[in-house]
Every structure is written in structure tokens, then in C-alpha cells.
Amino acid sequence: MVDPTLAEMGKNLNEAMKMLEDNQRPQEDENDNKKYTRKDIPGPLQGGGQNMVNILQLVQNLIHADDGEESQSCRVTRMQIVGEQGHMALLGAGWQAYISVLDKDRLRKLTTRILSDTTLWLCRLFRYENGSAYYHEDDREGLLKVCRLVIHSLYEDYTTEGFNVLYNKQPVIYISAASRPGLGQSLCNQLGLPLSCLCRVPCNTMFGSQHQMDVALLERLLKDDIQSGKCPLLLVANAGTPGAGHTDKLGRLRELCDQYNMWLHVEGVNLATLALGYVYPSVLAATRCDSMTLTLGPWLGLPAVPAVTLYRHEDPSLSLAAGLTSCQPVEKLRALPLWLSLQYLGHNGIIERIKHASQLSQRLLENLKKLNTIKTSVENEDSSPVVVFKFSYEGSKSDSTLNLTTVEREADAMNQWLGEQLAILVPASGVDVVELEDEGTCVCFNPLMTSAVLGTNFEDIDQLIANIETKIPVIQNTLQLKDEFKQEVERIAGLSYITDYSWAGLGVLRYEHISEELDEGKQEAELEKINTSLLKKLNELESDLSFTSGPEFGGEKNCIYIGMATDDVDVSELVETIATMGRDIEESSKLLENMTEVVRKGILEAEIQLQKANEERLLEEGVLRQIPLVGSMLNWFSPVQATPKGRTFNLTAGSLESTEITYASKAQSGLTPPPTPTSGHARRHPGQKLFKRMSRNSDAYSETSSISHLEEAENLESLPTLEAQPCSAAEVEIPIQSSTAHPAESSSEESPEPDIVSINTADSESLR
């Protein structure tokens, strides 16, 4: 079956094209529809082409190629969220290509109507009177065109002289330090200007928000640049910074730009609130700027709609030279998807989506303020629908000896983990992790950019709050155990504590009890082998802790990273278990290496003794008995009464021994079963997971249950624990047959005793 959304879109587009054609399409002559076949033509292009059903099926398969086992219902639901809100926009993208083939007069009238209607609607909706509009796919392209417009306005000879005019009086673009990363560099690259033309204005550090542009410092920078012979070109301000959603002092910046004849451009998510009935004064000041960029696609959940840059300028020739207007009707059709979408939503639909995003933010903010361990944004700005919060490190740790840098690094790691967990548990919320210059790592909820696309509702916010309340105790418990974990690791020989502030978890350690006799290369290889085996065994344990080899990039080598402690973990038991398992793995590795060398030497010695035994037998029996036919006759008439001589190789002694005692007693000496290892840790309840502290109020400590659990505790003592206990020495005897034995000897009445190699091992794993 074809995806319902794709099928409906194709059907509507097909019907719309037929309506526009007014059934005047001539019938194709079937005789002219000839089939051409060539071997080098791909399969789908062979013959007369594919029908719409097959093509839509192909598109559906390409869209869902990486979904794996995901159910069909989930796929349809995800597609319908986009289709319900932006079906007209998707349809407009198809119409845009179709309308472009109309005749010039009809196309010019249609594009003029579409462009004028859309521009008028947007200027009225966002309170930007007497403005013009430029529609573009890349949201940075509008600012780029505006910069070219300002250059053409301030440099009269720029059209004829080019960069020579800019060289004599260097232009300067001022941009806030809280703006989008890479925005200034992109402008300079596209305009062909050096990076020295870019001036980053720091944000406030003493008064006001930490993410607002420092107006006083900007004024000093302007005065210095003018005295140096430079030309202030343009100022990029924010009505909602990308990270924190804060708005610059737009009113004060407007006055400063008027004073120094500088263009003011504003962008940010808070510009969406201009369409609401009540607008906060800090955002309302954006209506006085020279230009602003609106990203209506994510705000309203409309796919395939362009971004819009509204601007005011009186000279249309300069706008044409800068690329803000075009005489090509096809380029004016960029507004068609937006023209259709705005009519489909209507004024109420547009306001409802923006208002819904603001209500989601308000609900989340109210619930976050009830949590003592959560700190919201540094600025209580109700005009911003962006909510930035983080786990508050204050009061979560009693150790005051840690310096501020350590505290901040650990807090960043915990907030990174918190944001990633929330994004996984509540994907419809659209939360993201952001890095702020003064606040560090925070969790950002920006519903204007995500809610319309993801379909976020109030139930998702409640679920988000519930997950935050669940994860906070895990963070607090992990922070309380980090110091104890470090002390326990440093106390036990053979383990090394690795400091990694970027890891959100209990800690990082490495097993390093390696012999110093090995060179550096062998030590590194042995260390990697032991820690890899140790990590594999730890992951086989039934515990709530997670053990990994660290992050893919930037992690320490040959280390074991222990995750968050969801419960009260017995840290001493955890570290002791890791140390014991590491020692057992190391001893097993050494034993196998020694065993390999001893077995090799024993085989060589056995071959020498077998060769000597064959030579002695040759002298004893004579040469005639070695001839096949003659030897058989002699053995039949006169059998040889040879005394069997066998050998056993003892790995413990490292020597060959006689097997006369073994065959005399009919039992292998020295072979004893390994004893059953006993538990070295505290007794556990049935079903209780490893490394979890037993509660003092549990039934195990009550008098009434102590008798009933007595037999069960005794049985637990006899069970092997997860600690690897060394087994007693055991011999395994392996018969060694002489390669020089002759078939004639099989007729002897008493077969010679076979030689045996006995492998003695002290580890049960080597027997496997």
C-alpha cells in the first residue's frame, strides 16, 4: 500500500493541474508513443515510463528505508503531523513549478498578485508597516542581501569601483556575541570582506542579562572605528538569542543606529510574538528596525515555505542591484507556498499556533520553579517563549574543598546527561542541550521552533516534568557517591582513578596491575586485553550500573566508565569486585602463557625420550623384527615379553614421570576436583541486584524472617559468587603415541604402555 499522505498529496496535485489546464490538454497519439529499448538505460526508464502509484511507492520506500522494524502506523502518524499542518505548502511547491510554464502576461499578473498579497499580509501580521519583502530558502540569505543594499547605499561608487571604494574606507559589521555561531564569518565570506570587517560586541557582564548586547561598549566601539576612518555598516541585533531566547535593548540600539547612520537588522524567535494581541515593549521595539528576518516554517509547522526578510528602503533601483527584488517572475513564485498556507490557516490559525507555543513555555516554567534543584534562565523575561534550565549544583555536594572549575565541569556533564535523557524519553518535547558562555551547559525548550512540527501538547510537558523529577535524585545520588568511589579506587592497589570531568557518571577507572618486566608495547597490549575482558564480564553482571568503554571521541583509552548510580550503590563492594575480577583475568592470562611455554618444552623432551626408547627397542629386538613380513613371523613364533613404559608430563613439576603407578593402581594420581568457591561478600536477598546496599529496615534484619531465611542463606553460601576464585591444581593426562610405532607390533600379546602428557592447571577457565 502507498503511504496515505503521499497518495493524497499526489492526487490533489494531479487534480489541481487538471483544473488549471481546464481540460484543454490534447490527447496524445498512441501511434507516436513508440518504445525504445537500450541496454545502458536504467530499468525504471525503460518503456513508456512508470505510473504515479509506482513512483509514490518508490518515494515511500526511500523515505522509510532506515526505519528498520518500525511499525507502519508510526510511520503514517509521523507523516500525517506534517501533512495536516502544511499540506497547502507542499501543494504550493508543486504548483510553483507548474505555474512557471504559463505565458508571460498571465504569469506576470499572477506573480504580482501573489507577491503583493503575501507581503501585505506579513506586514500587517507582524506590525511592520510600509515594508517590502524578500523570500529566500536560506535564512541567512536575507541578511546577506540587506548588507549589499547598505553597501550600495553608503558607497555611491561601489557599482563602478568595487572593492577599491571599500579599501579606502573599510566597512564594519557589528554582531552580538550571543548571535548564531558562524553568522558573521558567513557574511564576510559571501560579501568578499576580510574578517577584520567583523566586530563582535560582547554581552552585558555587570548589569542586566548576560545575553544582551552591551550598548555602552558598542557606543565606544563605534567612536573608535569612526576615528580610525572606518564606516559603520550594519548592526545585527537579537529578539530572542539562539541559546537563551533573550532580547537586546532594541529601543536603545535604534537610537544609537540613528545617531551613527547605521542599519539595524533584527532576528530571533521572539519576533513571532509580534502577531499576538499584546506584545511586550522590549519586542515591540523591533518594528522600528530597518529590516527583520522571519522564519515562518518552524513557527507555524509549515514545510517547504521560505523565510522572509522584511525591510524598508525608498530606492527600488538599489534594492534591485542588491538582489532583494527581481524582474524575473519565476523568482517571485517563491512566495506561492506561503501565500497558500497563510490563507489555509487564516488569522486565527496563525495566532493559535504562536499562542500555543507561548502557553507551553509558561506551563513548563511554572512547574520548574517548584523544583528547588532546578535553576531557570538568569533573566526573568516573560516576553520570551524560550525556557532555559539546568540542574543546580549548589547544595548537592557537601565537600567544599573542590574548586569552582571542578564544580562547573561536573555540573556541565550532569546537565548534558539530563538533556540527552529528556530528549530520548520525551521526543515530542523537542528539548535540546545548549552551551551558554556564562551559564555553561543547559537544557533549552524552544517550542516556537519545534512544537508545531512535533505536535507538542500539554501532556508532553507534564511528562517532561515527571521525567525531570525522576532524574534529579539519580544525579544527586551519583554526586554524593563520586568522592567515595574515588577514595575506594585509590585505596586498592592495581586500580587507577581517571579524572574525566566530561563524563556524567560514578567515575572512570583503569586496571593497571601489570608486571614491570614487560616492555612498554607489551604492557599496553596486555592492559588493553585485560580491561576489555574485564568490561565484558562487568556487563554480564545483573546490576543497575552501566559499564562502557567511554565516549566515542575524547575518551581515555583502556578505561572502564561507570554510569549513573540509580540506587544507593555499595561502592566498596563494587570496587573490590572489579579489582578481584581484574586480578583473576590477569592470573589466567599469565597461567596460559606459562602453560604454553611449559607444554612446548615438555613436548620437545617427550619427543627426545620417545626417540631414545625406539632406539633401545631396536637394539633389544634386533633388526629382523623390524622387517614387516619377517617381524610378523618372528613375533608369532617367539613373542617378545616387553615391559610397557609410559610417561606423564606434570605441568606443576615441569618434568616427565613414569606411568607405572597409574597403571598399577588403575587410577590417575593427583586428580582432585576443584573445590566450590565460597562467597566473600555480604549475603543477599533472592532477586537482589549486585552492588546495591541492603536497607536497614528490610526483612533480612527482622527476627521473624531470620529463621525462615536461615536455610536459604546457608544455600547461598555454597553457591559460587561472581568473584573468580582460584581452583586447586589438577592434572589432565594426555596420551602421547610414538610416531615411529610399527604395525607389526600390534600382534604383541601385551601392548606397550602409552606415553601421557598431564596438564596441571590452577584455573578452571584454562580447562575450557
Side-chain angles (χ1 to χ4, degrees):
M1 293 180 61
V2 180
D3 191 292
T5 303
L6 295 177
E8 184 180 1
M9 185 179 67
K11 178 181 178 181
N12 291 342
L13 180 59
N14 190 26
E15 292 177 356
M17 293 173 63
K18 290 181 179 180
M19 291 173 61
L20 292 174
E21 292 170 355
D22 197 18
N23 297 327
Q24 294 180 2
R25 184 176 179 178
Q27 297 291 332
E28 296 181 357
D29 189 2
E30 296 181 358
N31 297 328
D32 295 337
N33 188 15
K34 298 180 180 180
K35 298 182 179 180
Y36 299 92
T37 58
R38 284 173 50 185
K39 294 182 179 180
D40 58 338
I41 298 298
L45 301 184
Q46 293 288 350
Q50 304 292 328
N51 56 31
M52 182 172 293
V53 176
N54 294 336
I55 295 175
L56 291 178
Q57 182 68 45
L58 175 61
V59 174
Q60 178 187 1
N61 295 336
L62 293 176
I63 291 176
H64 303 303
D66 299 330
D67 288 349
E69 300 296 331
E70 186 180 6
S71 62
Q72 181 70 18
S73 60
C74 295
R75 300 177 186 175
V76 174
T77 302
R78 186 176 63 241
M79 291 295 294
Q80 284 178 349
I81 293 176
V82 178
E84 291 174 0
Q85 297 182 359
H87 187 78
M88 295 302 297
L90 296 174
L91 194 60
W95 280 359
Q96 181 178 348
Y98 179 77
I99 293 176
S100 62
V101 301
L102 297 176
D103 59 89
K104 293 183 179 180
D105 293 337
R106 188 177 302 178
L107 178 62
R108 185 179 298 106
K109 294 179 181 179
L110 182 59
T111 54
T112 302
R113 172 66 183 273
I114 293 173
L115 191 63
S116 60
D117 285 351
T118 310
T119 302
L120 176 63
W121 297 341
L122 292 176
C123 289
R124 293 288 177 85
L125 281 171
F126 295 96
R127 306 170 188 267
Y128 198 82
E129 300 296 335
N130 301 324
S132 302
Y134 173 67
Y135 303 89
H136 46 92
E137 301 297 332
D138 189 352
D139 55 0
R140 298 174 298 183
E141 187 179 354
L143 178 58
L144 174 64
K145 301 293 186 181
V146 167
C147 288
R148 289 178 177 171
L149 173 64
V150 180
I151 291 176
H152 280 281
S153 301
L154 296 180
Y155 297 90
E156 297 180 357
D157 299 332
Y158 178 74
T159 305
T160 56
E161 308 239 349
F163 70 93
N164 290 326
V165 180
L166 304 180
Y167 178 78
N168 296 329
K169 194 174 183 180
Q170 181 178 350
V172 182
I173 299 174
Y174 301 89
I175 187 170
S176 173
S179 296
R180 288 181 291 169
L183 179 61
Q185 290 81 350
S186 175
L187 287 176
C188 291
N189 293 336
Q190 294 295 328
L191 294 172
L193 299 176
L195 292 180
S196 58
C197 295
L198 180 64
C199 179
R200 291 177 59 86
V201 183
C203 296
N204 288 344
T205 55
M206 296 295 294
F207 305 100
S209 170
Q210 300 293 327
H211 307 281
Q212 287 182 338
M213 189 184 303
D214 193 337
V215 180
L217 181 57
L218 172 62
E219 188 172 5
R220 290 197 298 269
L221 292 174
L222 287 170
K223 293 180 180 179
D224 294 341
D225 290 338
I226 292 175
Q227 291 179 359
S228 301
K230 299 180 181 180
C231 177
L233 189 70
L234 178 139
L235 171 64
V236 181
N238 291 298
T241 55
H246 293 179
T247 302
D248 291 325
K249 299 179 178 63
L250 300 178
R252 182 73 181 90
L253 293 177
R254 175 72 271 177
E255 297 175 358
L256 201 61
C257 290
D258 293 338
Q259 180 180 353
Y260 292 95
N261 192 25
M262 185 169 55
W263 187 281
L264 177 61
H265 179 83
V266 181
E267 60 181 24
V269 294
N270 292 348
L271 293 176
T273 60
L274 291 173
L276 299 178
Y278 175 78
V279 184
Y280 289 90
S282 58
V283 181
L284 187 60
T287 58
R288 298 166 50 198
C289 65
D290 297 302
S291 60
M292 65 170 65
T293 297
L294 309 175
T295 54
L296 297 171
W299 293 354
L300 304 177
L302 303 174
V305 299
V308 184
T309 296
L310 302 178
Y311 66 96
R312 296 189 184 98
H313 199 266
E314 298 178 355
D315 194 344
S317 61
L318 295 182
S319 300
L320 180 63
L324 288 169
T325 57
S326 175
C327 58
Q328 298 295 330
V330 177
E331 294 188 8
K332 298 179 181 180
L333 286 175
R334 291 179 182 175
L336 177 59
L338 192 57
W339 182 74
L340 295 173
S341 301
L342 293 177
Q343 295 182 78
Y344 178 79
L345 292 174
H347 181 262
N348 293 338
I350 297 172
I351 299 301
E352 183 63 29
R353 280 163 173 76
I354 298 176
K355 187 178 180 180
H356 177 68
S358 301
Q359 291 174 348
L360 291 175
S361 297
Q362 191 66 25
R363 183 161 185 166
L364 177 62
L365 187 61
E366 292 175 356
N367 286 276
L368 289 177
K369 289 182 178 180
K370 299 177 183 178
L371 303 177
N372 297 329
T373 55
I374 293 296
K375 180 181 178 182
T376 56
S377 179
V378 293
E379 183 188 31
N380 294 324
E381 188 177 8
D382 296 332
S383 60
S384 176
V386 181
V387 178
V388 177
F389 62 94
K390 66 176 183 176
F391 169 74
S392 178
Y393 202 85
E394 300 175 359
S396 298
K397 213 161 181 185
S398 58
D399 190 0
S400 60
T401 60
L402 296 176
N403 55 33
L404 183 59
T405 304
T406 302
V407 172
E408 291 177 350
R409 289 180 178 179
E410 290 185 353
D412 289 344
M414 293 300 174
N415 284 288
Q416 177 80 23
W417 175 83
L418 177 62
E420 293 174 354
Q421 290 294 311
L422 294 177
I424 295 174
L425 296 173
V426 195
S429 64
V431 295
D432 194 11
V433 179
V434 295
E435 296 287 341
L436 302 181
E437 185 175 356
D438 298 318
E439 297 297 314
T441 305
C442 300
V443 183
C444 179
F445 176 65
N446 191 353
L448 271 174
M449 300 297 293
T450 60
S451 63
V453 176
L454 299 177
T456 311
N457 50 37
F458 293 107
E459 287 75 13
D460 297 321
I461 301 300
D462 297 338
Q463 186 179 359
L464 188 65
I465 292 296
N467 282 279
I468 293 175
E469 294 175 347
T470 304
K471 297 302 178 183
I472 291 303
V474 177
I475 296 177
Q476 292 176 331
N477 188 42
T478 304
L479 290 174
Q480 292 174 0
L481 296 174
K482 286 179 73 70
D483 288 342
E484 183 182 354
F485 176 79
K486 180 179 180 181
Q487 294 173 4
E488 289 292 334
V489 172
E490 294 176 346
R491 181 180 61 84
I492 297 180
L495 297 180
S496 297
Y497 181 81
I498 307 300
T499 302
D500 190 349
Y501 295 114
S502 62
W503 175 250
L506 199 57
V508 185
L509 59 83
R510 178 190 292 130
Y511 183 83
E512 293 183 343
H513 194 270
I514 306 298
S515 176
E516 298 180 356
E517 299 177 357
L518 302 176
D519 57 10
E520 185 177 353
K522 291 184 178 179
Q523 283 186 358
E524 185 71 20
E526 190 68 17
L527 184 67
E528 181 180 0
K529 180 180 178 182
I530 292 177
N531 283 280
T532 302
S533 301
L534 180 58
L535 178 61
K536 182 179 179 181
K537 286 192 173 184
L538 288 173
N539 283 322
E540 294 175 355
L541 304 181
E542 295 183 1
S543 67
D544 293 328
L545 293 174
S546 62
F547 304 93
T548 64
S549 58
E552 184 177 359
F553 303 102
E556 295 284 342
K557 292 183 178 180
N558 304 327
C559 291
I560 297 176
Y561 286 73
I562 304 176
M564 304 291 287
T566 55
D567 293 318
D568 192 6
V569 177
D570 191 343
V571 177
S572 60
E573 180 186 352
L574 169 64
V575 177
E576 288 176 3
T577 303
I578 295 175
T580 303
M581 296 176 69
R583 284 193 294 267
D584 292 338
I585 294 173
E586 183 182 5
E587 291 174 1
S588 301
S589 178
K590 291 181 179 179
L591 181 62
L592 290 175
E593 291 178 0
N594 296 335
M595 185 185 300
T596 303
E597 183 65 20
V598 172
V599 169
R600 187 183 65 83
K601 292 180 180 179
I603 291 175
L604 293 176
E605 185 177 353
E607 289 179 353
I608 295 173
Q609 293 199 16
L610 287 173
Q611 186 177 0
K612 289 181 180 180
N614 290 332
E615 293 176 355
E616 292 176 358
R617 186 177 58 184
L618 181 62
L619 294 175
E620 234 177 81
E621 299 175 357
V623 179
L624 293 177
R625 289 185 181 273
Q626 310 305 320
I627 301 174
L629 295 178
V630 178
S632 299
M633 295 295 295
L634 290 176
N635 289 334
W636 186 74
F637 285 109
S638 177
V640 178
Q641 300 295 331
T643 302
K645 295 180 181 180
R647 297 290 186 271
T648 177
F649 179 67
N650 194 328
L651 285 177
T652 305
S655 61
L656 289 172
E657 300 174 356
S658 176
T659 58
E660 295 179 1
I661 301 176
T662 302
Y663 281 88
S665 61
K666 304 300 183 181
Q668 185 175 346
S669 62
L671 182 59
T672 57
T676 303
T678 58
S679 174
H681 296 303
R683 301 173 183 175
R684 300 185 178 280
H685 292 296
Q688 182 180 358
K689 293 188 177 180
L690 288 172
F691 315 132
K692 185 175 180 180
R693 296 186 195 269
M694 297 178 63
S695 174
R696 295 181 179 179
N697 297 325
S698 63
D699 295 338
Y701 293 93
S702 63
E703 297 179 357
T704 57
S705 62
S706 60
I707 298 177
S708 62
H709 291 292
L710 180 58
E711 296 180 358
E712 189 175 343
E714 291 176 353
N715 294 331
L716 287 174
E717 288 184 350
S718 62
L719 293 177
T721 61
L722 292 170
E723 280 192 333
Q725 300 292 340
C727 301
S728 63
E731 289 186 354
V732 180
E733 296 184 352
I734 304 174
I736 300 178
Q737 300 292 340
S738 173
S739 60
T740 58
H742 200 277
E745 300 174 4
S746 61
S747 62
S748 301
E749 293 181 359
E750 187 173 0
S751 60
E753 184 178 335
D755 291 324
I756 296 176
V757 173
S758 175
I759 299 177
N760 187 299
T761 176
D763 195 340
S764 60
E765 286 193 8
S766 62
L767 296 178
R768 300 195 189 108

